[in-house]
Amino acid sequence: MNKKITLRSIAFFLLLAIFIILPFVNDSRTLLILLTQIFIFGILAMSYDILLGYTGIVSFGHAMFFGIGAYTTAVMLKQMDNTLLIFVLSIVIGMILAGFISFLVGLLTLRLKSHFFAMLTLAFSGLFLVLAEKWRSVTYGNDGFTFRAPDLFRDRMTFYFFVLASLVVIFLALYRFVNSPTGRILIAVRENEQRTKSLGFNTLHYKVIASVVAGIVASFAGSLYAVSLRFVNTSVMAMDITLDALLMTIIGGVGTLVGPLLGSAVIEYAQHALSGLARDYPIFERWIIFFGILYILAVIFFPKGIIGSLRLLFWKWRGRLKQRKTTGPLPQEKERFE
Amino acid sequence: MELFVNLIINGLATGMLIFLLAAGLTLIFGLMDVLNFAHGGLFVWGAYAGIFTYMWTESFIVGIISAIVTGALLGLLTEKFIITPVYGNHIQQILITLGLMLVLQELIKVVFGPNGVAVKTPSYLAGSWEIGDVIIIKYRLFIIVKGFIIFGIFQYMLKRTKIGLIVRAGVQDKEMAQALGIHIKRVFLYVFMVGAALAALSGMLMAPYSGVIYAEMGMEYAILGFIVVVIGGMGSFSGSLLAAILVGLAGSFMAYYVPVLSLAVNMILMAIVLIFRPQGLFAMRKERTS
């Protein structure tokens, strides 16, 4: 047990060191922007995995919270001032707002079964999209608006480090959360809600907690996203954002925190690379098709995603090693989707 | 008064179109317990295949047939390759059909081009009648009549024929139906194909109504279809009809009296229904614990 933890933390610090040194070694602007984007969507995908991977609920309204964060930050930076203080304040307000709304929506919707819940989240996020489109005096509708980022973030490098630091903090916080007693109960809800209920846990209560945590983190990602573009429009609320988060989580691996990060890296990089290829080969302009197919295959053949499949291999390999010494049962991974 | 009648006719026409879309969904969900998120993709494929055939052959009826055939074929492929591996697993069904939706929508842009296509109503359905001050647009009346005919056919098939008996038995108890010698897998396949064909048909009929078709319309209308299915109660045919008419009427009245709310009215309707009656207005049976 002890050995595994050190192995993990070594990997963690090694990766962190690489990402800290990287901008000094390779000062390519595109790489820096790409990595920033990967980190931001990594945060979003991690928050989505709290719902999908840890609690086992499919939400189609996640973009709503992303959008709340993005708009809060964008509107405050435009209407008030583009200082760092306002930026931090806007993040906090966005998170509070997202937390409050996810609490309300969760309370209303989470007692419903999987299909109905998915539909209702879709409806709520649709309402928010309409609100953002109609409330033109604040949101400028579909056209969106540009705004000035805080002076400090003019420098792409500073912003990169800020996002990296946020990612690390969020990752550690969520890691604590999923390994806390509450997090364990969420996993129990995923595995068998009926049984968890009969053990005396109020499962609705825990599902609302998961939805609030996911909403708050998604709002944070939205704030960062708005600043990274220095522009916001209603596309931050659109279904595509939820789909992206979903794809990243599924491809990377549900029920892990590293999985969504990896998924974010894979998808953002592939998106970047394929849109580069599209200049020469027009077929790649429709890169979503490749993703769609990849995603369908992933759901059928690798429901655990990259990380989950690797882990399964690892367990099997270790099981075989152990079997040579003792004849115990194979440590099997539990099936994810149930 | 005239205004009132016009609004009702508009609402009914929209409602009927949504009903055709929702009928496929409700059929598939009712029997197979599959929530098909790719329904919008089938819808838009029906619209494109039908309209392109229509423009090519200049016959609206050939276009409709081509849409139905396209829908059924796509349904066949979808059931075989996408749905079969994930029977009985709700979350995976949602995820996989959503993936298919993405693929179908993008493929439209590859096959038919990324831009929207303007659609003309066939000459014998274009124009309108004026009765007093009431203006009745022919195409809308056509849709309403067609909707009721299809509802009638399906109701008759489900309630009076042997096929309907088998389907209803499958809905009631899959295992028992199988034990009595019904090849339930094949029934599933046929039901899925019929549902897909209905989606394609509604896409085809929607095209002249909205005047333009584009790849993203699949998702937009699919959401409307879902809302109707949820309001009506999943798996209930008459529930879907009633909910579709309700949504259509609410939309047409809101668009006139409170335009700001018109985009949100369906969502609000669904949210209210779900909060007070989570199983929908006419649930066929209690939702099984999943």
Side-chain angles (χ1 to χ4, degrees):
Chain A
M1 193 66 201
N2 221 351
K3 195 180 144 208
K4 209 170 83 191
I5 283 176
T6 43
L7 205 81
R8 271 190 191 180
S9 39
I10 286 173
F12 175 76
F13 282 114
L14 203 69
L15 265 177
L16 188 60
I18 290 174
F19 283 124
I20 291 175
I21 298 168
L22 200 66
F24 296 105
V25 180
N26 183 344
D27 61 346
S28 145
R29 214 174 116 84
T30 10
L31 181 74
L32 212 57
I33 293 176
L34 181 67
L35 279 175
T36 312
Q37 206 77 343
I38 288 175
F39 294 160
I40 292 173
F41 276 99
I43 295 175
L44 179 72
M46 277 198 294
S47 79
Y48 193 78
D49 199 34
I50 295 289
L51 291 174
L52 179 69
Y54 282 95
T55 324
I57 44 186
V58 183
S59 160
F60 285 146
H62 211 56
M64 172 164 85
F65 304 114
F66 190 74
I68 288 173
Y71 268 107
T72 313
T73 296
V75 168
M76 281 179 72
L77 285 178
K78 184 172 178 82
Q79 309 277 6
M80 294 160 101
D81 198 7
N82 56 337
T83 61
L84 205 57
L85 180 71
I86 297 283
F87 172 64
V88 173
L89 205 63
S90 78
I91 286 182
V92 174
I93 290 178
M95 285 163 95
I96 292 172
L97 209 61
F100 181 65
I101 290 170
S102 63
F103 175 73
L104 278 185
V105 172
L107 216 52
L108 286 175
T109 58
L110 277 166
R111 56 185 92 235
L112 300 171
K113 295 273 176 307
S114 55
H115 287 137
F116 299 94
F117 174 73
M119 305 291 5
L120 204 54
T121 52
L122 193 64
F124 271 111
S125 71
L127 275 181
F128 264 80
L129 183 62
V130 171
L131 182 75
E133 248 157 39
K134 291 285 160 187
W135 197 5
R136 295 193 75 89
S137 56
V138 173
T139 63
Y140 296 87
N142 198 21
D143 308 330
F145 58 90
T146 53
F147 59 92
R148 293 158 73 90
D151 294 331
L152 190 63
F153 295 149
R154 289 284 158 76
D155 182 18
R156 286 276 165 196
M157 192 100 113
T158 330
F159 187 62
Y160 169 83
F161 282 117
F162 180 77
V163 174
L164 180 61
S166 319
L167 177 74
V168 171
V169 170
I170 296 265
F171 179 80
L172 292 176
L174 286 181
Y175 189 77
R176 284 292 299 225
F177 175 69
V178 296
N179 285 298
S180 71
T182 313
R184 297 285 115 183
I185 294 166
L186 293 184
I187 294 176
V189 170
R190 178 190 76 200
E191 295 299 335
N192 192 335
E193 185 171 352
Q194 226 50 41
R195 187 178 291 174
T196 316
K197 214 179 245 171
S198 61
L199 283 172
F201 293 106
N202 181 356
T203 51
L204 177 66
H205 175 78
Y206 288 98
K207 285 188 330 195
V208 171
I209 290 180
S211 131
V212 169
V213 168
I216 288 175
V217 175
S219 157
F220 182 71
S223 296
L224 293 180
Y225 182 70
V227 172
S228 81
L229 291 187
R230 291 158 203 179
F231 168 77
V232 69
N233 71 355
T234 47
S235 70
V236 292
M237 292 255 187
M239 186 74 191
D240 302 23
I241 297 280
T242 307
L243 285 180
D244 276 352
L246 197 103
L247 281 176
M248 288 165 185
T249 314
I250 294 272
I251 286 178
V254 286
T256 59
L257 285 178
V258 186
L261 288 179
L262 190 68
S264 161
V266 169
I267 291 199
E268 287 293 325
Y269 178 74
Q271 212 162 319
H272 176 78
L274 288 178
S275 56
L277 270 179
R279 259 171 261 140
D280 302 325
Y281 309 97
I283 182 73
F284 287 105
E285 221 165 275
R286 301 274 158 252
W287 54 269
I288 290 188
I289 295 178
F290 300 102
F291 270 118
I293 293 169
L294 184 71
Y295 167 80
I296 290 172
L297 293 177
V299 174
I300 297 181
F301 297 109
F302 303 99
K304 295 175 195 67
I306 298 172
I307 293 287
S309 303
L310 283 179
R311 197 191 264 177
L312 198 66
L313 279 179
F314 177 72
W315 282 116
K316 275 190 183 152
W317 172 72
R318 219 176 59 164
R320 213 170 291 148
L321 276 190
K322 261 193 189 158
Q323 223 169 20
R324 266 178 222 158
K325 290 174 202 154
T326 56
T327 44
L330 276 174
Q332 289 269 330
E333 264 277 270
K334 285 258 321 184
E335 271 296 318
R336 285 298 178 206
F337 298 105
E338 259 176 339
Chain B
M1 188 59 207
E2 300 79 41
L3 176 73
F4 202 69
V5 174
N6 279 334
L7 285 180
I8 284 181
I9 289 177
N10 289 355
L12 268 179
T14 323
M16 275 306 166
L17 280 172
I18 304 169
F19 165 69
L20 289 181
L21 182 63
L25 268 179
T26 216
L27 203 64
I28 292 169
F29 184 83
L31 180 68
M32 302 158 73
D33 207 17
V34 171
L35 191 63
N36 180 19
F37 270 85
H39 210 67
L42 301 168
F43 170 87
V44 81
W45 266 89
Y48 267 88
I51 290 303
F52 270 77
T53 319
Y54 163 48
M55 291 198 303
W56 187 48
T57 60
E58 290 178 357
S59 159
F60 196 63
I61 293 162
V62 175
I64 287 182
I65 294 169
S66 137
I68 292 175
V69 171
T70 309
L73 281 179
L74 279 176
L76 177 79
L77 294 176
T78 307
E79 207 275 349
K80 283 266 181 231
F81 295 107
I82 306 290
I83 310 284
T84 310
V86 293
Y87 270 127
N89 191 330
H90 281 161
I91 292 182
Q92 271 194 296
Q93 280 167 9
I94 296 178
L95 298 176
I96 202 165
T97 50
L98 205 64
L100 180 67
M101 173 75 216
L102 284 181
V103 174
L104 286 177
Q105 182 175 311
E106 287 300 309
L107 272 179
I108 281 281
K109 294 181 193 164
V110 174
V111 177
F112 298 103
N115 301 323
V117 177
V119 178
K120 275 205 189 91
T121 319
S123 55
Y124 50 94
L125 288 174
S128 55
W129 290 300
E130 264 180 68
I131 304 167
D133 283 333
V134 181
I135 300 160
I136 299 176
I137 294 167
K138 280 186 196 165
Y139 193 73
R140 291 196 175 152
L141 203 67
F142 166 72
I143 298 264
I144 295 173
V145 172
K146 196 132 196 163
F148 274 113
I149 290 175
I150 287 175
F151 175 72
I153 292 175
F154 270 85
Q155 207 64 334
Y156 176 78
M157 294 252 287
L158 282 173
K159 293 270 155 76
R160 295 285 154 85
T161 61
K162 182 138 187 278
I163 304 163
L165 192 72
I166 292 172
V167 170
R168 275 184 298 141
V171 175
Q172 287 289 329
D173 194 331
K174 241 171 272 172
E175 283 77 21
M176 187 56 85
Q178 194 145 23
L180 290 173
I182 294 164
H183 198 319
I184 204 79
K185 276 210 172 135
R186 198 169 298 154
V187 177
F188 273 19
L189 176 62
Y190 294 151
V191 168
F192 198 91
M193 284 170 69
V194 172
L198 269 177
L201 172 67
S202 68
M204 172 64 190
L205 293 179
M206 180 71 84
Y209 186 69
S210 64
V212 63
I213 50 176
Y214 47 95
E216 283 81 14
M217 74 192 277
M219 200 63 195
E220 286 170 28
Y221 285 104
I223 290 176
L224 219 54
F226 287 133
I227 291 175
V228 163
V229 170
V230 168
I231 292 178
M234 295 225 185
S236 161
F237 225 71
S238 16
S240 293
L241 179 71
L242 221 78
I245 292 175
L246 191 70
V247 165
L249 287 178
S252 104
F253 275 88
M254 277 294 180
Y256 188 80
Y257 290 109
V258 201
V260 188
L261 274 181
S262 66
L263 274 173
V265 63
N266 306 317
M267 309 283 186
I268 295 171
L269 258 175
M270 170 158 102
I272 292 171
V273 169
L274 271 190
I275 287 163
F276 291 105
R277 235 184 112 77
Q279 70 274 40
L281 295 176
F282 289 82
M284 195 140 81
R285 48 143 195 231
K286 278 216 132 179
E287 172 74 349
R288 280 178 298 215
T289 48
S290 49

